[in-house]
């Protein structure tokens, strides 16, 4: 299988603080990769660098063998839904069709009939078609997340990049989202940043542990060694395998 | 007042400029409010005063000076904000008083008697000249054309800048364009309500429109209509009560906003059971 994403020796720093140090990562086609790590560990920075929103100080990022500065539309980006201004006057359908603006800097951009159809299909597949006229503030968290996934799919991507897609969703909705992702994974590569350790064992094909450096990349089997390296915490706390609950508590400790 | 409108050129100019200003206000006010650039716009407006002072000093039309200064201020704030990591707030605050200070210095240095600057500070829609009207309509056309032509890109940019950039829309260009359009709007409004009173006309119509629709385009339309109503009623009040027009427009706008919000609030709560 070919690599869809190649990251070679990437360093990123903010002023004098090194956010990412010598990251090397290869993602195979149709992988489902979860990037985990503590807050402030550079997950968002890595995501932004892959998207071309941040320029690395050194190193190279290639998407399908091309520099990521010129690969608009190969990546579908799903940002954190909690960051949005939910009062913005925009309907579900209008959010989804934003995806068709790809590379479009022309005047009087118009939606083609074909795109209209495509938007409809995407919305139906994600079960948001019935809300298409609703303003986004009138949606639940899970619904809004599906709208953002729909928008990313409208771009027609080969890779889907998600930033904490299940943060602050309840477990029912979480598994809904993962089901959608699992289905999408049959057609495209998925890379997501997550704090959700529960998902890792059941949905994800590989993981990357990031805390400034890339500590581990491979099958989603977290050993205490890896975790203690990445999260830098006493091994005792996670001594009994990857107990979900203990891990979450620990994460919150770090936030505090 | 009706026969007076037909009789006096200055009233015709006032009405035309009020309508043109409302168009700019409705469109740009909506964008400014959604992108949370209200204080930035206030800063650009006050910087424009430097240009007015320079106009007097050099003996050119002050409104041209204001145009130059506000565009430079808009681009300056955008550029510096990108280069150094200061918050835009600090920059806006500094430009705000810096522009005023430059204007005051220029006017102090200008030869002859100090000119009457109050019509620029507080606006005087009754003194809009033919040249002003020409400038206002030209700037209006630019605003309407650019926003309409790139409406979808602007909408995407306003809603989610990062995503829009990721899919390859020229976000930086849009941003600079937006700032220039804000500068043009401010120049239009200086004649109508004056530098100090501009912010209300950019926010009140939009805030009212937002209570009635969730559609960006409709919001712009309603804002334009609200702006026209505010300007006309303000103009009428100033004519009847013999008070300054800019202040009349602003006071009427804010009172309307408060009243409409209050009525909305009452009607919303009357549907609910009271908590006690």
């Amino acid at each position: 299988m070919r690599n869809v994403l190649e990251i070679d020796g990437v360093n990123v720093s903010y002023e004098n603080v090194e956010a990412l140090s010598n990251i090397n990562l290869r993602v195979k086609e149709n992988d489902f990769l979860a990037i985990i790590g503590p807050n402030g560990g550079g997950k968002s920075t890595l995501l932004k660098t892959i998207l071309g929103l941040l320029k690395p100080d050194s190193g190279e990022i290639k998407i399908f063998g091309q520099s990521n500065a010129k690969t608009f539309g190969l990546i579908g980006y799903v940002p954190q839904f909690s960051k949005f201004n939910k009062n913005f006057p925009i309907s579900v359908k209008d959010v989804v069709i934003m995806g068709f603006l790809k590379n479009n800097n022309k005047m009087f951009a118009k939606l083609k009939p074909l795109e209209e159809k495509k938007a409809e299909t995407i919305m139906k597949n994600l079960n948001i078609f019935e809300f298409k006229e609703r303003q986004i503030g009138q949606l639940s968290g899970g619904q809004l997340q599906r709208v953002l996934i729909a928008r990313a799919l409208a771009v027609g991507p080969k890779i889907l990049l998600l930033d904490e897609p299940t943060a602050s969703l309840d477990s029912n909705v979480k598994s809904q989202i993962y089901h959608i992702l699992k289905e999408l994974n049959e057609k495209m590569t998925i890379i997501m940043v997550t704090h959700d350790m529960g998902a890792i064992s059941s949905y994800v094909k590989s993981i990357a542990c990031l805390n400034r450096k890339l500590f581990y990349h491979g099958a989603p089997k977290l050993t205490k060694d890896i975790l203690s390296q990445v999260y830098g915490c006493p091994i005792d706390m996670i001594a009994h395998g990857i107990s979900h609950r203990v891990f979450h508590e620990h994460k919150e400790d770090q936030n505090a | 007042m009706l026969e007076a409108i037909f009789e006096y050129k200055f009233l015709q100019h006032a009405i035309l400029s009020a309508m043109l200003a409302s168009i700019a206000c409705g469109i740009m006010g909506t964008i400014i409010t959604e992108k949370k650039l209200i204080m930035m716009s206030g800063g650009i407006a006050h910087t424009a005063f430097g240009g007015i002072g320079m106009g007097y000093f050099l003996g050119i039309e002050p409104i041209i000076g204001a145009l130059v200064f506000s565009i430079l201020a808009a681009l300056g704030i955008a550029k510096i904000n990108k280069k150094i990591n200061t918050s835009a707030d600090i920059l806006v605050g500094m430009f705000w008083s810096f522009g005023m200070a430059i204007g005051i210095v220029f006017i102090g240095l200008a030869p002859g008697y100090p000119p009457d600057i109050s019509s620029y500070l507080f606006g005087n829609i009754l003194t809009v000249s033919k040249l002003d009207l020409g400038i206002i309509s030209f700037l209006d056309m630019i605003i309407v054309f650019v926003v309409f032509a790139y409406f979808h890109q602007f909408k995407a940019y306003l809603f989610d800048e990062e995503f829009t950039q990721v899919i390859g829309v020229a976000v930086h260009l849009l941003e600079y364009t937006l700032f220039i359009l804000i500068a043009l709007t401010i120049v239009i409004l200086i004649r109508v309500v004056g530098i100090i009173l501009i912010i209300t006309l950019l926010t009140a119509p939009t805030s009212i429109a937002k209570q009635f629709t969730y559609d960006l385009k409709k919001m712009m339309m309603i804002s334009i209509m609200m702006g026209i109503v505010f300007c006309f009623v303000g103009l009428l009040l100033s004519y009847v009560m013999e008070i300054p027009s800019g202040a009349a427009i602003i006071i009427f706008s804010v009172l309307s906003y408060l009243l409409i919000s209050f009525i909305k609030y009452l009607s919303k709560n009357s549907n609910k059971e009271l908590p006690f």
Side-chain angles (χ1 to χ4, degrees):
Chain A
M1 258 191 287
R2 60 180 168 159
N3 292 324
V4 293
L5 174 67
E6 294 173 358
I7 301 178
D8 284 305
V10 161
N11 291 291
V12 180
S13 52
Y14 297 109
E15 306 203 344
N16 294 321
V17 185
E18 198 176 38
L20 292 175
S21 164
N22 192 27
I23 304 292
N24 293 287
L25 179 68
R26 276 170 172 50
V27 181
K28 293 243 180 292
E29 196 160 22
N30 282 72
D31 197 356
F32 191 153
L33 171 72
I35 300 172
I36 62 165
N39 289 335
K43 297 186 305 286
S44 301
T45 305
L46 181 61
L47 222 61
K48 282 188 177 157
T49 316
I50 294 172
L51 288 166
L53 293 169
L54 280 177
K55 274 211 180 85
D57 301 334
S58 58
E60 204 177 25
I61 296 183
K62 282 185 169 174
I63 294 160
F64 287 96
Q66 277 179 294
S67 152
N68 69 336
K70 297 174 216 139
T71 48
F72 300 123
L74 288 173
I75 296 183
Y77 174 44
V78 183
Q80 278 183 40
F81 69 88
S82 52
K83 280 199 222 150
F84 280 91
N85 169 14
K86 296 202 179 58
N87 284 321
F88 192 84
I90 192 166
S91 68
V92 167
K93 186 189 161 197
D94 283 355
V95 174
V96 175
I97 62 174
M98 254 179 86
F100 295 121
L101 266 184
K102 174 174 76 179
N103 272 329
N104 190 338
N105 287 307
K106 290 192 210 87
M107 287 190 215
F108 303 107
K110 247 190 150 174
L111 199 63
K112 298 182 196 100
L114 198 76
E115 292 172 335
E116 183 102 45
K117 271 249 165 61
K118 204 176 151 196
E120 211 167 278
T121 319
I122 292 171
M123 285 192 280
K124 277 179 180 156
N125 286 342
L126 289 173
N127 277 328
I128 49 171
F129 189 68
E130 51 183 314
F131 323 119
K132 70 180 169 116
E133 300 300 337
R134 264 196 220 170
Q135 191 261 341
I136 52 153
Q138 300 164 325
L139 301 176
S140 69
Q143 287 164 345
L144 182 55
Q145 186 60 266
R146 279 181 281 153
V147 172
L148 296 181
I149 293 175
R151 177 179 70 167
L153 294 178
V155 176
K158 298 248 167 49
I159 306 171
L160 203 58
L161 210 63
L162 303 99
D163 195 356
E164 299 196 30
T166 56
S168 70
L169 293 178
D170 63 51
S171 57
N172 221 346
V173 182
K174 259 185 201 173
S175 56
Q176 249 181 37
I177 299 285
Y178 285 125
H179 265 283
I180 292 170
L181 294 182
K182 201 169 185 177
E183 233 168 80
L184 290 172
N185 188 218
E186 286 166 18
K187 284 170 282 176
M188 61 187 78
T189 314
I190 293 182
I191 301 171
M192 70 171 181
V193 161
T194 187
H195 277 306
D196 184 9
M197 293 300 149
I200 285 172
S201 45
S202 33
Y203 294 98
V204 165
K205 288 180 188 162
S206 61
I207 57 168
C209 302
L210 190 72
N211 188 0
R212 210 168 52 82
K213 292 178 184 151
L214 189 68
F215 280 90
Y216 171 80
H217 176 217
K221 288 197 186 81
L222 286 171
T223 65
K224 54 187 176 181
D225 271 0
I226 298 168
L227 284 176
S228 67
Q229 263 192 321
V230 173
Y231 284 83
C233 59
I235 297 168
D236 288 1
M237 282 190 75
I238 44 167
H240 308 289
I242 326 149
S243 166
H244 210 121
R245 210 186 68 79
V246 172
F247 205 85
H248 269 263
E249 272 187 358
H250 164 66
K251 191 188 84 196
E252 274 142 30
D253 282 347
Q254 284 235 329
N255 288 344
Chain B
M1 191 187 177
L2 258 181
E3 63 265 35
I5 292 174
F6 291 110
E7 202 173 327
Y8 298 114
K9 261 255 145 39
F10 75 92
L11 272 180
Q12 293 166 14
H13 284 177
I15 285 169
L16 261 174
S17 61
M19 289 179 78
L20 291 169
S22 301
I23 293 172
C25 264
I27 295 173
M28 294 309 292
T30 303
I31 293 178
I32 288 166
T33 325
E34 288 306 331
K35 197 69 190 168
K36 307 212 159 45
L37 292 173
I38 296 167
M39 281 305 128
M40 167 99 68
S41 309
I44 296 171
H46 284 75
T47 314
F49 186 70
I52 288 169
M54 190 190 72
Y56 275 121
F57 179 68
L58 298 177
I60 54 172
E61 188 61 35
I63 205 81
I64 305 285
L67 183 65
V68 173
F69 261 62
S70 54
I71 289 177
L72 289 179
L75 293 179
I77 291 173
K79 187 89 193 164
I80 300 173
N81 195 27
K82 271 223 167 63
K83 281 271 181 267
I84 19 176
N85 256 340
T86 25
S87 87
D89 239 17
I90 296 174
L91 278 174
V92 167
M94 277 197 271
F95 269 75
W96 192 298
S97 34
F98 182 67
M100 294 295 279
I102 286 184
I104 292 165
V105 167
F106 270 130
I107 287 171
L109 292 175
Y113 287 110
D116 174 31
I117 52 169
S118 74
S119 77
Y120 289 100
L121 289 179
F122 306 108
N124 192 347
I125 200 168
L126 298 173
T127 59
V128 172
S129 68
K130 204 160 188 178
L131 175 73
D132 290 331
L133 210 55
I135 294 173
I136 290 175
S137 12
F138 180 64
L139 299 182
D140 237 27
M141 279 192 293
I142 297 177
I143 292 170
V144 171
F145 178 78
V146 173
V147 173
F148 192 58
Y150 292 103
F151 185 76
H152 290 284
Q153 284 90 342
F154 268 119
K155 188 172 176 178
Y157 162 74
L158 293 177
F159 175 60
D160 187 348
E161 199 174 321
E162 266 187 4
F163 182 87
T164 312
Q165 189 178 351
V166 166
I167 59 174
V169 173
V171 165
H172 296 304
L173 206 63
L174 276 180
E175 190 175 12
Y176 283 121
T177 311
L178 173 61
F179 283 155
I180 291 176
L181 294 182
I182 293 174
L184 301 187
T185 310
I186 281 158
V187 171
I188 293 173
L189 291 182
I190 285 177
R191 288 312 269 137
V192 179
V193 286
I195 288 169
I196 293 177
L197 305 177
I198 275 175
I199 292 181
T200 299
L201 218 47
L202 284 173
T203 50
T206 309
S207 317
I208 293 173
K210 191 152 186 167
Q211 305 190 24
F212 294 98
T213 179
Y214 281 127
D215 183 286
L216 194 65
K217 220 174 233 166
K218 279 187 199 144
M219 236 171 101
M220 290 178 174
M221 294 299 175
I222 297 176
S223 305
I224 290 173
M225 284 185 288
M226 294 311 305
I228 292 177
V229 172
F230 291 159
C231 287
F232 280 1
V233 176
L235 200 55
L236 189 72
L237 287 177
S238 92
Y239 185 83
V240 175
M241 298 166 71
E242 288 179 33
I243 50 174
S245 60
I249 292 171
I250 296 307
I251 290 170
F252 181 70
S253 307
V254 173
L255 291 181
S256 309
Y257 170 70
L258 292 176
L259 187 70
I260 291 173
S261 303
F262 186 62
I263 292 171
K264 264 272 182 193
Y265 172 79
L266 284 185
S267 67
K268 211 159 132 196
N269 282 353
S270 66
N271 300 331
K272 285 185 202 151
E273 294 262 338
L274 290 172
F276 45 83

